Amino acid sequence: ALQCSFCVPTVVITMRGTAMLIAQVIGVALLGCALLSLLRSARSDVAVAVSAALGVVLFVLVVSRLADFITAILGMASTAGVNRPYLDTVLRVVGVAYLAAFGAQVCRDAGEGALAVKVELAGKVLILGMAAPLMFALLDAVLQVLPQ
């Protein structure tokens, strides 16, 4: 287990089972690739749905590690005195970025590159809107430090 010196003592990021987890992810991905290569030639419409489903399965496999990471970040932020709304915004921005990338990749897998670009653009616009309060707070802090 890894523990940082500036973390809350109860927050520990465990590395147990990481090798097993990546083996599961690789196994599911390889089986999925084999299945998809067979499906794409016979039923490309079904292959797209199976590809999206495999992506969801892989996400579910690693989501518990994501929860460990978020717990650790929240603990460090609490120790460092970071305002919780700012940290929540950052975590939401990261979530939107991952979801937009996943959605765009599913569109690309379906052969819809133009739609994928629009999903990415929507993600970027949402991120900009979510990050605006952080940018304004940072600008305000910089302006307060600068001499008038």
Side-chain angles (χ1 to χ4, degrees):
L2 294 177
Q3 190 169 12
C4 55
S5 60
F6 55 88
C7 293
V8 175
T10 58
V11 177
V12 177
I13 303 173
T14 59
M15 300 307 283
R16 274 189 316 262
T18 301
M20 181 56 95
L21 179 62
I22 195 63
Q24 290 173 339
V25 168
I26 290 169
V28 168
L30 289 176
L31 288 173
C33 285
L35 177 64
L36 287 171
S37 67
L38 294 172
L39 278 176
R40 286 207 197 282
S41 60
R43 298 278 316 262
S44 62
D45 56 330
V46 174
V48 171
V50 169
S51 177
L54 285 169
V56 170
V57 167
L58 293 176
F59 176 75
V60 168
L61 280 174
V62 298
V63 77
S64 66
R65 294 302 171 121
L66 187 61
D68 291 342
F69 172 75
I70 290 172
T71 301
I73 291 294
L74 291 174
M76 286 187 286
S78 175
T79 302
V82 174
N83 287 341
R84 179 71 187 258
Y86 295 141
L87 184 63
D88 288 346
T89 301
V90 169
L91 291 174
R92 286 187 184 115
V93 163
V94 170
V96 167
Y98 279 130
L99 290 173
F102 177 74
Q105 193 57 48
V106 169
C107 291
R108 281 191 190 87
D109 289 347
E112 297 294 333
L115 187 58
V117 170
K118 288 166 183 61
V119 169
E120 289 172 338
L121 177 63
K124 290 173 185 176
V125 168
L126 288 171
I127 287 171
L128 182 62
M130 293 168 66
L134 287 177
M135 292 185 295
F136 293 142
L138 180 62
L139 181 61
D140 187 45
V142 168
L143 291 175
Q144 289 179 4
V145 172
L146 293 176
Q148 295 292 330

